[in-house]
């Protein structure tokens, strides 16, 4: 969730002259030294003239930030920041992350770039459909995922290795029966029977998963290393292991990676509302101008979207104001012109004096504060 200080833009009229630009700079400075709750930022909604640029250069002052439109944007919404996850994360870890953060969607990133999405629906579908005994190898599942999912300990082998071939089998029969269905590189789930462990290794199984925390003899461990067979010990029973093991699959195997619906921070809310209304998604990824993932917004975030807050200087007519002014909250108006057509939803501080420039009014305001 964004916790940055809210910005109030102090902005002059279109086709800004030196008084308008200087007023936005000076009044934003005055507000910042008198009110630390908000961040007052000088803005402009037009190009700076050569005369004004000369003045800015003469006093070594940067021009105000260009703001062409003040309609409400995605950046004005409450963006939920949840770090992107790695595509190798297990289904089990993804599910736990969702529960912990009370979300139904995770964004999958690589080098800060969004590469995919996975939802609780995807996980449920994967879990219900993961009946293929070869699925661990099809998904190129890491043994690290298997160990973590089974709350296990690897006592032989490298957890960074990948299960790239072979199926998952449960060694429930005699060694003679096991010879009929165990093949090279299979992952074999079994208990503490020495003869079953020995037979699986001799049949070149890729990994033994020893259930119920059973002890593994030194001779079995030695033989496993000689046959390049991994051994994982888990505290869970055979039924639980068989149920959990497909949760070790990496989320990249199920994630959505094409036609991802994303919003940019600079997108205007009125432009994306029809898009959001046309889908059933609850969360939508947000990316910045560099294409990097920054967080998510949900449908309910639209309700609390904050309008941009403005202070107008050197004008009070709608025709001279920045585009989108009707969608912004005006907090103050400091001007020396005639009364114009700007209307507000609530009372505002309005300082209007028949003086030569708006900057003169700001100087008077500063003098009044010092008294």
């Amino acid at each position: 969730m964004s916790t940055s200080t809210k910005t109030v833009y102090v902005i002059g009229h279109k086709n800004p002259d030196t008084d308008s630009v200087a007023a936005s700079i000076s009044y934003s400075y005055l507000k910042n030294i008198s009110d630390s709750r908000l961040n007052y930022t000088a803005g402009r909604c037009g190009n700076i003239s050569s005369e004004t640029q000369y003045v800015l250069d003469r006093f070594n002052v940067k021009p105000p930030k260009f703001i062409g439109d003040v309609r409400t944007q995605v950046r004005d919404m409450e963006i939920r920041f949840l770090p992107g996850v790695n595509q190798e994360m297990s289904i089990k870890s993804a599910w736990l992350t969702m529960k912990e953060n009370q979300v139904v969607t995770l964004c999958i990133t690589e080098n800060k770039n969004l590469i995919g999405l996975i939802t609780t629906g995807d996980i449920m579908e994967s879990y219900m459909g993961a009946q293929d005994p070869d699925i661990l190898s099809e998904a190129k599942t890491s043994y690290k995922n298997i160990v973590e999912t089974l709350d296990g300990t690897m006592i032989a082998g490298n957890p960074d290795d990948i299960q790239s071939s072979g199926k998952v089998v449960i060694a429930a029969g005699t060694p003679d029966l096991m010879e009929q269905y165990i093949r090279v590189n299979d992952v074999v789930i079994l208990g503490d029977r020495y003869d079953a462990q020995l037979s699986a290794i001799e049949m070149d199984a890729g990994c033994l998963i020893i259930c119920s925390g059973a002890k593994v003899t030194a001779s079995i461990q030695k033989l496993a290393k000689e046959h390049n067979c991994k051994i994982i010990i888990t505290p869970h029973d055979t039924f639980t292991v068989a149920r959990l093991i497909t949760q070790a699959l990496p989320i990249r195997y199920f994630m959505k990676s094409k036609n991802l619906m994303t919003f940019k921070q600079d997108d205007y809310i009125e432009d994306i509302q029809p898009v959001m209304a046309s889908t059933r998604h609850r969360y939508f990824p947000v990316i910045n101008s560099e294409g990097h993932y920054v967080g998510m917004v949900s449908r309910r975030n639209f309700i609390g979207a904050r309008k941009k807050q403005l202070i107008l200087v050197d004008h009070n007519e709608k025709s001279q104001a920045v585009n989108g002014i009707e969608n912004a909250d005006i907090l103050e108006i400091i001007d020396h012109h005639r009364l114009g057509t700007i209307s507000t939803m609530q009372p505002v501080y309005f300082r209007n004096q028949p003086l030569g420039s708006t900057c003169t009014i700001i100087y008077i305001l500063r003098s009044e504060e010092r008294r």
Side-chain angles (χ1 to χ4, degrees):
M1 184 181 301
S2 177
T3 58
S4 57
T5 303
K6 188 167 184 179
T7 297
V8 176
Y9 294 103
V10 182
I11 188 167
H13 54 73
K14 294 178 179 178
N15 302 314
D17 55 15
T18 302
D19 185 33
S20 175
V21 172
S24 65
I25 295 172
S26 58
Y27 197 57
S28 62
Y29 173 81
L30 177 60
K31 295 295 290 186
N32 279 322
I33 62 176
S34 60
D35 182 3
S36 60
R37 298 170 303 166
L38 300 172
N39 174 35
Y40 295 88
T41 299
R44 59 183 174 88
C45 56
N47 296 324
I48 292 179
S49 67
S50 56
E51 173 194 289
T52 303
Q53 187 62 56
Y54 172 82
V55 174
L56 294 175
D57 293 340
R58 175 68 177 81
F59 293 98
N60 194 28
V61 175
K62 293 182 179 180
K65 177 181 179 180
F66 177 77
I67 303 170
D69 198 311
V70 291
R71 287 178 294 164
T72 306
Q73 296 172 286
V74 171
R75 65 172 64 253
D76 300 315
M77 299 171 64
E78 184 178 327
I79 298 177
R80 172 76 180 271
F81 176 72
L82 188 64
V85 299
N86 190 287
Q87 61 181 332
E88 299 301 328
M89 172 185 273
S90 69
I91 290 291
K92 179 183 178 182
S93 295
W95 180 263
L96 293 175
T97 300
M98 290 178 179
K99 287 185 62 179
E100 180 182 351
N101 292 280
Q102 298 182 338
V103 295
V104 296
T105 304
L106 288 181
C107 294
I108 302 160
T109 58
E110 185 174 56
N111 298 324
K112 299 182 180 181
N113 295 316
L114 182 71
I115 62 172
L117 296 174
I118 191 163
T119 66
T120 53
D122 297 326
I123 293 178
M124 293 171 65
E125 184 177 341
S126 71
Y127 191 62
M128 295 301 295
Q131 306 299 325
D132 187 348
D134 295 305
I135 194 167
L136 287 184
S137 57
E138 289 178 2
K140 308 299 180 188
T141 307
S142 72
Y143 280 98
K144 179 180 178 181
N145 277 12
I146 297 174
V147 172
E148 291 179 350
T149 300
L150 300 180
D151 302 310
T153 302
M154 179 172 276
I155 62 173
N158 184 352
D160 292 327
D161 288 346
I162 303 296
Q163 173 68 12
S164 57
S165 64
K167 61 185 181 301
V168 179
V169 297
I170 298 177
T174 64
D176 290 339
L177 183 60
M178 290 168 57
E179 291 181 0
Q180 299 179 24
Y181 58 84
I182 293 180
R183 299 291 181 265
V184 176
N185 292 329
D186 283 353
V187 176
V188 184
I189 303 172
L190 68 176
D192 62 351
R193 289 173 47 191
Y194 180 89
D195 57 344
Q197 297 172 6
L198 179 62
S199 295
I201 294 173
E202 290 178 340
M203 286 181 276
D204 291 322
C207 177
L208 306 185
I209 298 177
I210 312 299
C211 301
S212 301
K215 301 294 183 182
V216 179
T217 65
S219 59
I220 287 292
Q221 293 185 48
K222 179 181 178 182
L223 188 62
K225 292 177 181 178
E226 292 174 354
H227 284 252
N228 196 29
C229 177
K230 300 168 179 62
I231 298 179
I232 298 172
I233 299 178
T234 172
H236 302 298
D237 58 34
T238 303
F239 171 78
T240 303
V241 170
R243 182 175 60 86
L244 288 177
I245 195 164
T246 53
Q247 295 182 24
L249 294 167
I251 56 177
R252 61 170 158 72
Y253 192 68
F254 301 100
M255 72 181 188
K256 294 181 177 69
S257 58
K258 296 181 179 179
N259 301 319
L260 300 179
M261 186 173 294
T262 63
F263 298 143
K264 296 180 180 178
Q265 284 181 302
D266 293 333
D267 286 342
Y268 294 107
I269 286 184
E270 63 185 37
D271 294 333
I272 67 173
Q273 275 182 321
V275 178
M276 182 174 281
S278 67
T279 70
R280 299 181 62 182
H281 302 326
R282 289 176 59 185
Y283 288 91
F284 299 83
V286 177
I287 58 177
N288 61 19
S289 58
E290 297 176 342
H292 294 162
Y293 164 74
V294 296
M296 296 187 295
V297 292
S298 68
R299 294 177 182 276
R300 57 193 175 94
N301 291 142
F302 276 91
I303 301 174
R306 303 172 303 185
K307 292 183 178 181
K308 286 186 171 63
Q309 293 188 325
L310 307 180
I311 295 177
L312 305 184
V313 293
D314 201 34
H315 72 296
N316 70 97
E317 293 192 38
K318 185 176 180 180
S319 61
Q320 297 181 26
V322 61
N323 293 337
I325 188 70
E326 62 278 359
N327 295 312
D329 284 334
I330 300 173
L331 304 184
E332 300 182 25
I333 301 175
I334 311 296
D335 191 21
H336 68 120
H337 296 98
R338 68 177 186 178
L339 297 184
T341 56
I342 289 285
S343 62
T344 63
M345 295 296 294
Q346 57 192 8
V348 300
Y349 178 80
F350 186 15
R351 184 73 171 251
N352 185 280
Q353 291 181 257
L355 299 172
S357 72
T358 303
C359 287
T360 302
I361 301 174
I362 296 172
Y363 173 79
I364 294 172
L365 290 170
R366 177 57 172 161
S367 300
E368 291 173 350
E369 284 191 357
R370 288 178 172 175
R371 293 175 186 174

